[in-house]
Amino acid sequence: MPILLDGQPDTFFEAALREAEQGLAEGGVPIGAALAMDGELLAVGRNLRVQKDDPIAHGEMSCLRNAGRRQTYKQTTLYTTLSPCEMCSGAILLFGIKNVVVGEATTFPGNLTMLSDRGVNVTLLSDPRCVRLMTLFQERHPEVWAEDIGRA
Amino acid sequence: MPILLDGQPDTFFEAALREAEQGLAEGGVPIGAALAMDGELLAVGRNLRVQKDDPIAHGEMSCLRNAGRRQTYKQTTLYTTLSPCEMCSGAILLFGIKNVVVGEATTFPGNLTMLSDRGVNVTLLSDPRCVRLMTLFQERHPEVWAEDIGRA
């Protein structure tokens, strides 16, 4: 069932979730992201560690790469199916992204308090669909997951 | 004149510096990086914001991407011509890189104290060649530099 944001299914978050599902189907780490501004979807992206042999291609990073160069991110919202790691949190702070919508922080806590402390508006959805995707992957490929978060 | 590390010109740092010089020649942000382990150069990379329209391709990130997937980074040293930003510092922490050699922190302070506080061994070279490259670029293209560090 879609997540409701302000009482409506959020199409941007659903776009991020579709990226995560596509990642799982490809044998990759199932984390997806979307960047939006003023009601417009700017880009989506997904974790491509497995698919592209690219360790920095976390979902959020792929999405930011796909969005291309921007003068500023002040009005953007970043949607991600999983709580951002230190690298992705650093990117959020570097580029001054002020709004982050997070699918879940159950299977990986990330740095949500740090982001909030630094002035980022964080919305945590606790979407069971995201938890299910990550749990499935972590059970199937614990070694890839450990590698992706530097714990191998 | 090459920087001396342990009394010897450091070939890995020189490789990072060549990447930065190549970046400048291409019209890009002149920051380069190298990743080495056990006396072996694993990868080099440079900032590709301008060349590839890629905002996440800072020097350190390009280098980590070029190194491909690794189980662990514990024995690696990351060389970078400029003090790492929050995104790149986050990547260093995420992947557990324990040694970072930094060309300069004059034209951009970065987060060296935070990295040290988190257990990273930081060597700051204060290499005037790196300062010169960045000063040249910042004077020529202040708007691109501001964009690269999220201050546009």
Side-chain angles (χ1 to χ4, degrees), chain A residues 49-50 53-56 58 61-62 64-65 67-74 85-87 90-91 93-96 108 118 143-144 147-152, chain B residues 49-50 53-56 58 61-62 64-65 67-74 85-87 90-91 93-96 108 118 143-144 147-152:
Chain A
R49 168 177 289 274
V50 173
D53 194 33
D54 185 346
I56 69 162
H58 279 196
M61 305 297 278
S62 289
L64 291 170
R65 183 190 297 167
R69 284 175 64 181
R70 297 188 65 80
Q71 283 281 313
T72 175
Y73 296 77
K74 284 194 186 97
C85 75
E86 288 198 282
M87 171 176 67
L93 293 173
L94 174 71
F95 293 128
F108 179 74
R118 295 283 301 274
E143 74 295 348
V144 181
E147 187 189 300
D148 201 51
I149 53 171
R151 295 188 192 156
Chain B
R49 167 178 291 274
V50 173
D53 194 32
D54 185 346
I56 68 162
H58 279 197
M61 304 297 278
S62 288
L64 291 170
R65 183 190 297 168
R69 284 175 63 181
R70 298 188 64 80
Q71 282 282 312
T72 175
Y73 296 77
K74 285 192 185 100
C85 75
E86 289 198 282
M87 172 175 68
L93 294 173
L94 174 71
F95 293 128
F108 178 74
R118 294 284 301 272
E143 74 296 348
V144 181
E147 186 189 300
D148 201 50
I149 54 170
R151 294 189 193 158

